[in-house]
Amino acid sequence: MVMRSTLVAVVQAEVASDLESGLRHTADLTAQAAARGARLVVFPETWLPGYPVWLDVCRDVALWDHAPVKRVFARMANESVVVDGESGAALAEIARRNGVTLVVGVTERVAAGNRPRNIV
């Protein structure tokens, strides 16, 4: 039996403030890892659009009908990844361009026109 090894890069870095810059940051860090020989590049949970740390400290986060909470959740939803949309395609291109497999923790958003047929 022939044993093969694969170099794995596990990324632990500061998250970006929005999806667009997060995708650029992902591309840069993936390129750096690939340049060092990594073939599997792993990013943490909720890397895109970033962990909502405010969940841990916001007093009114559970008040769904609270206007400030709605604004924060709306921003997070708008900055989330649409897997079969442009942001998902950008991640696929980052992997393809660098010849790696990416594992990226994301908060996913289903685009209005892409809802599964069984959801009313």
mmCIF file with all atom_site columns, all heavy atoms in Angstrom, residues 17-18 49 70-80:
data_model
loop_
_atom_site.group_PDB
_atom_site.id
_atom_site.type_symbol
_atom_site.label_atom_id
_atom_site.label_alt_id
_atom_site.label_comp_id
_atom_site.label_asym_id
_atom_site.label_entity_id
_atom_site.label_seq_id
_atom_site.pdbx_PDB_ins_code
_atom_site.Cartn_x
_atom_site.Cartn_y
_atom_site.Cartn_z
_atom_site.occupancy
_atom_site.B_iso_or_equiv
_atom_site.pdbx_formal_charge
_atom_site.auth_seq_id
_atom_site.auth_comp_id
_atom_site.auth_asym_id
_atom_site.auth_atom_id
_atom_site.pdbx_PDB_model_num
ATOM 1   N N   . SER A 1 17 ? -15.041 42.595 7.676  1.00 0.00 ? 17 SER A N   1
ATOM 2   C CA  . SER A 1 17 ? -16.251 43.282 8.136  1.00 0.00 ? 17 SER A CA  1
ATOM 3   C C   . SER A 1 17 ? -17.441 43.110 7.198  1.00 0.00 ? 17 SER A C   1
ATOM 4   O O   . SER A 1 17 ? -18.569 43.434 7.562  1.00 0.00 ? 17 SER A O   1
ATOM 5   C CB  . SER A 1 17 ? -15.959 44.773 8.315  1.00 0.00 ? 17 SER A CB  1
ATOM 6   O OG  . SER A 1 17 ? -15.539 45.324 7.079  1.00 0.00 ? 17 SER A OG  1
ATOM 7   N N   . ASP A 1 18 ? -17.201 42.609 5.990  1.00 0.00 ? 18 ASP A N   1
ATOM 8   C CA  . ASP A 1 18 ? -18.296 42.393 5.049  1.00 0.00 ? 18 ASP A CA  1
ATOM 9   C C   . ASP A 1 18 ? -17.914 41.266 4.091  1.00 0.00 ? 18 ASP A C   1
ATOM 10  O O   . ASP A 1 18 ? -16.760 40.840 4.048  1.00 0.00 ? 18 ASP A O   1
ATOM 11  C CB  . ASP A 1 18 ? -18.634 43.675 4.280  1.00 0.00 ? 18 ASP A CB  1
ATOM 12  C CG  . ASP A 1 18 ? -17.451 44.215 3.509  1.00 0.00 ? 18 ASP A CG  1
ATOM 13  O OD1 . ASP A 1 18 ? -16.959 43.526 2.601  1.00 0.00 ? 18 ASP A OD1 1
ATOM 14  O OD2 . ASP A 1 18 ? -17.007 45.341 3.824  1.00 0.00 ? 18 ASP A OD2 1
ATOM 15  N N   . PRO A 1 49 ? -20.086 35.427 6.841  1.00 0.00 ? 49 PRO A N   1
ATOM 16  C CA  . PRO A 1 49 ? -19.548 36.776 6.865  1.00 0.00 ? 49 PRO A CA  1
ATOM 17  C C   . PRO A 1 49 ? -18.844 37.134 8.163  1.00 0.00 ? 49 PRO A C   1
ATOM 18  O O   . PRO A 1 49 ? -18.563 38.297 8.421  1.00 0.00 ? 49 PRO A O   1
ATOM 19  C CB  . PRO A 1 49 ? -20.778 37.641 6.685  1.00 0.00 ? 49 PRO A CB  1
ATOM 20  C CG  . PRO A 1 49 ? -21.855 36.909 7.389  1.00 0.00 ? 49 PRO A CG  1
ATOM 21  C CD  . PRO A 1 49 ? -21.545 35.449 7.153  1.00 0.00 ? 49 PRO A CD  1
ATOM 22  N N   . LYS A 1 70 ? -33.417 43.707 14.452 1.00 0.00 ? 70 LYS A N   1
ATOM 23  C CA  . LYS A 1 70 ? -33.794 43.411 13.064 1.00 0.00 ? 70 LYS A CA  1
ATOM 24  C C   . LYS A 1 70 ? -32.765 43.972 12.084 1.00 0.00 ? 70 LYS A C   1
ATOM 25  O O   . LYS A 1 70 ? -32.421 43.322 11.096 1.00 0.00 ? 70 LYS A O   1
ATOM 26  C CB  . LYS A 1 70 ? -35.171 43.981 12.747 1.00 0.00 ? 70 LYS A CB  1
ATOM 27  C CG  . LYS A 1 70 ? -36.311 43.193 13.339 1.00 0.00 ? 70 LYS A CG  1
ATOM 28  C CD  . LYS A 1 70 ? -37.628 43.811 12.912 1.00 0.00 ? 70 LYS A CD  1
ATOM 29  C CE  . LYS A 1 70 ? -38.794 43.000 13.389 1.00 0.00 ? 70 LYS A CE  1
ATOM 30  N NZ  . LYS A 1 70 ? -40.065 43.530 12.925 1.00 0.00 ? 70 LYS A NZ  1
ATOM 31  N N   . ARG A 1 71 ? -32.269 45.176 12.343 1.00 0.00 ? 71 ARG A N   1
ATOM 32  C CA  . ARG A 1 71 ? -31.268 45.783 11.452 1.00 0.00 ? 71 ARG A CA  1
ATOM 33  C C   . ARG A 1 71 ? -29.971 44.974 11.443 1.00 0.00 ? 71 ARG A C   1
ATOM 34  O O   . ARG A 1 71 ? -29.372 44.764 10.399 1.00 0.00 ? 71 ARG A O   1
ATOM 35  C CB  . ARG A 1 71 ? -30.998 47.230 11.860 1.00 0.00 ? 71 ARG A CB  1
ATOM 36  C CG  . ARG A 1 71 ? -32.084 48.189 11.429 1.00 0.00 ? 71 ARG A CG  1
ATOM 37  C CD  . ARG A 1 71 ? -31.665 49.643 11.574 1.00 0.00 ? 71 ARG A CD  1
ATOM 38  N NE  . ARG A 1 71 ? -31.308 50.023 12.933 1.00 0.00 ? 71 ARG A NE  1
ATOM 39  C CZ  . ARG A 1 71 ? -32.176 50.447 13.852 1.00 0.00 ? 71 ARG A CZ  1
ATOM 40  N NH1 . ARG A 1 71 ? -33.463 50.550 13.558 1.00 0.00 ? 71 ARG A NH1 1
ATOM 41  N NH2 . ARG A 1 71 ? -31.766 50.780 15.063 1.00 0.00 ? 71 ARG A NH2 1
ATOM 42  N N   . VAL A 1 72 ? -29.553 44.523 12.612 1.00 0.00 ? 72 VAL A N   1
ATOM 43  C CA  . VAL A 1 72 ? -28.308 43.759 12.696 1.00 0.00 ? 72 VAL A CA  1
ATOM 44  C C   . VAL A 1 72 ? -28.461 42.412 11.990 1.00 0.00 ? 72 VAL A C   1
ATOM 45  O O   . VAL A 1 72 ? -27.583 41.990 11.231 1.00 0.00 ? 72 VAL A O   1
ATOM 46  C CB  . VAL A 1 72 ? -27.877 43.578 14.168 1.00 0.00 ? 72 VAL A CB  1
ATOM 47  C CG1 . VAL A 1 72 ? -26.711 42.631 14.285 1.00 0.00 ? 72 VAL A CG1 1
ATOM 48  C CG2 . VAL A 1 72 ? -27.523 44.921 14.775 1.00 0.00 ? 72 VAL A CG2 1
ATOM 49  N N   . PHE A 1 73 ? -29.572 41.725 12.209 1.00 0.00 ? 73 PHE A N   1
ATOM 50  C CA  . PHE A 1 73 ? -29.790 40.449 11.538 1.00 0.00 ? 73 PHE A CA  1
ATOM 51  C C   . PHE A 1 73 ? -29.954 40.649 10.029 1.00 0.00 ? 73 PHE A C   1
ATOM 52  O O   . PHE A 1 73 ? -29.501 39.818 9.236  1.00 0.00 ? 73 PHE A O   1
ATOM 53  C CB  . PHE A 1 73 ? -30.997 39.709 12.117 1.00 0.00 ? 73 PHE A CB  1
ATOM 54  C CG  . PHE A 1 73 ? -30.645 38.870 13.314 1.00 0.00 ? 73 PHE A CG  1
ATOM 55  C CD1 . PHE A 1 73 ? -31.010 39.267 14.582 1.00 0.00 ? 73 PHE A CD1 1
ATOM 56  C CD2 . PHE A 1 73 ? -29.942 37.681 13.174 1.00 0.00 ? 73 PHE A CD2 1
ATOM 57  C CE1 . PHE A 1 73 ? -30.685 38.498 15.697 1.00 0.00 ? 73 PHE A CE1 1
ATOM 58  C CE2 . PHE A 1 73 ? -29.605 36.906 14.275 1.00 0.00 ? 73 PHE A CE2 1
ATOM 59  C CZ  . PHE A 1 73 ? -29.986 37.317 15.539 1.00 0.00 ? 73 PHE A CZ  1
ATOM 60  N N   . ALA A 1 74 ? -30.573 41.730 9.605  1.00 0.00 ? 74 ALA A N   1
ATOM 61  C CA  . ALA A 1 74 ? -30.717 42.015 8.171  1.00 0.00 ? 74 ALA A CA  1
ATOM 62  C C   . ALA A 1 74 ? -29.347 42.220 7.540  1.00 0.00 ? 74 ALA A C   1
ATOM 63  O O   . ALA A 1 74 ? -29.080 41.722 6.437  1.00 0.00 ? 74 ALA A O   1
ATOM 64  C CB  . ALA A 1 74 ? -31.592 43.239 7.958  1.00 0.00 ? 74 ALA A CB  1
ATOM 65  N N   . ARG A 1 75 ? -28.470 42.937 8.229  1.00 0.00 ? 75 ARG A N   1
ATOM 66  C CA  . ARG A 1 75 ? -27.115 43.140 7.712  1.00 0.00 ? 75 ARG A CA  1
ATOM 67  C C   . ARG A 1 75 ? -26.394 41.803 7.589  1.00 0.00 ? 75 ARG A C   1
ATOM 68  O O   . ARG A 1 75 ? -25.743 41.522 6.582  1.00 0.00 ? 75 ARG A O   1
ATOM 69  C CB  . ARG A 1 75 ? -26.321 44.084 8.609  1.00 0.00 ? 75 ARG A CB  1
ATOM 70  C CG  . ARG A 1 75 ? -24.920 44.330 8.104  1.00 0.00 ? 75 ARG A CG  1
ATOM 71  C CD  . ARG A 1 75 ? -24.121 45.238 9.058  1.00 0.00 ? 75 ARG A CD  1
ATOM 72  N NE  . ARG A 1 75 ? -22.801 45.445 8.559  1.00 0.00 ? 75 ARG A NE  1
ATOM 73  C CZ  . ARG A 1 75 ? -21.779 44.600 8.729  1.00 0.00 ? 75 ARG A CZ  1
ATOM 74  N NH1 . ARG A 1 75 ? -21.965 43.476 9.381  1.00 0.00 ? 75 ARG A NH1 1
ATOM 75  N NH2 . ARG A 1 75 ? -20.589 44.872 8.242  1.00 0.00 ? 75 ARG A NH2 1
ATOM 76  N N   . MET A 1 76 ? -26.497 40.955 8.610  1.00 0.00 ? 76 MET A N   1
ATOM 77  C CA  . MET A 1 76 ? -25.841 39.653 8.562  1.00 0.00 ? 76 MET A CA  1
ATOM 78  C C   . MET A 1 76 ? -26.401 38.818 7.408  1.00 0.00 ? 76 MET A C   1
ATOM 79  O O   . MET A 1 76 ? -25.648 38.177 6.670  1.00 0.00 ? 76 MET A O   1
ATOM 80  C CB  . MET A 1 76 ? -26.000 38.904 9.879  1.00 0.00 ? 76 MET A CB  1
ATOM 81  C CG  . MET A 1 76 ? -25.170 37.631 9.914  1.00 0.00 ? 76 MET A CG  1
ATOM 82  S SD  . MET A 1 76 ? -25.134 36.831 11.522 1.00 0.00 ? 76 MET A SD  1
ATOM 83  C CE  . MET A 1 76 ? -26.683 35.956 11.496 1.00 0.00 ? 76 MET A CE  1
ATOM 84  N N   . ALA A 1 77 ? -27.707 38.847 7.218  1.00 0.00 ? 77 ALA A N   1
ATOM 85  C CA  . ALA A 1 77 ? -28.316 38.091 6.122  1.00 0.00 ? 77 ALA A CA  1
ATOM 86  C C   . ALA A 1 77 ? -27.827 38.608 4.770  1.00 0.00 ? 77 ALA A C   1
ATOM 87  O O   . ALA A 1 77 ? -27.484 37.822 3.885  1.00 0.00 ? 77 ALA A O   1
ATOM 88  C CB  . ALA A 1 77 ? -29.835 38.176 6.202  1.00 0.00 ? 77 ALA A CB  1
ATOM 89  N N   . ASN A 1 78 ? -27.770 39.921 4.620  1.00 0.00 ? 78 ASN A N   1
ATOM 90  C CA  . ASN A 1 78 ? -27.321 40.503 3.349  1.00 0.00 ? 78 ASN A CA  1
ATOM 91  C C   . ASN A 1 78 ? -25.867 40.181 3.053  1.00 0.00 ? 78 ASN A C   1
ATOM 92  O O   . ASN A 1 78 ? -25.471 40.128 1.886  1.00 0.00 ? 78 ASN A O   1
ATOM 93  C CB  . ASN A 1 78 ? -27.526 42.017 3.348  1.00 0.00 ? 78 ASN A CB  1
ATOM 94  C CG  . ASN A 1 78 ? -28.975 42.384 3.236  1.00 0.00 ? 78 ASN A CG  1
ATOM 95  O OD1 . ASN A 1 78 ? -29.776 41.647 2.685  1.00 0.00 ? 78 ASN A OD1 1
ATOM 96  N ND2 . ASN A 1 78 ? -29.328 43.532 3.780  1.00 0.00 ? 78 ASN A ND2 1
ATOM 97  N N   . GLU A 1 79 ? -25.059 39.980 4.079  1.00 0.00 ? 79 GLU A N   1
ATOM 98  C CA  . GLU A 1 79 ? -23.630 39.695 3.907  1.00 0.00 ? 79 GLU A CA  1
ATOM 99  C C   . GLU A 1 79 ? -23.344 38.196 3.885  1.00 0.00 ? 79 GLU A C   1
ATOM 100 O O   . GLU A 1 79 ? -22.186 37.792 3.798  1.00 0.00 ? 79 GLU A O   1
ATOM 101 C CB  . GLU A 1 79 ? -22.823 40.358 5.023  1.00 0.00 ? 79 GLU A CB  1
ATOM 102 C CG  . GLU A 1 79 ? -22.877 41.862 5.011  1.00 0.00 ? 79 GLU A CG  1
ATOM 103 C CD  . GLU A 1 79 ? -22.249 42.483 3.763  1.00 0.00 ? 79 GLU A CD  1
ATOM 104 O OE1 . GLU A 1 79 ? -21.267 41.932 3.224  1.00 0.00 ? 79 GLU A OE1 1
ATOM 105 O OE2 . GLU A 1 79 ? -22.766 43.522 3.310  1.00 0.00 ? 79 GLU A OE2 1
ATOM 106 N N   . SER A 1 80 ? -24.364 37.363 3.943  1.00 0.00 ? 80 SER A N   1
ATOM 107 C CA  . SER A 1 80 ? -24.176 35.918 3.960  1.00 0.00 ? 80 SER A CA  1
ATOM 108 C C   . SER A 1 80 ? -23.932 35.377 2.555  1.00 0.00 ? 80 SER A C   1
ATOM 109 O O   . SER A 1 80 ? -24.225 36.030 1.557  1.00 0.00 ? 80 SER A O   1
ATOM 110 C CB  . SER A 1 80 ? -25.398 35.244 4.589  1.00 0.00 ? 80 SER A CB  1
ATOM 111 O OG  . SER A 1 80 ? -25.473 35.586 5.963  1.00 0.00 ? 80 SER A OG  1
#
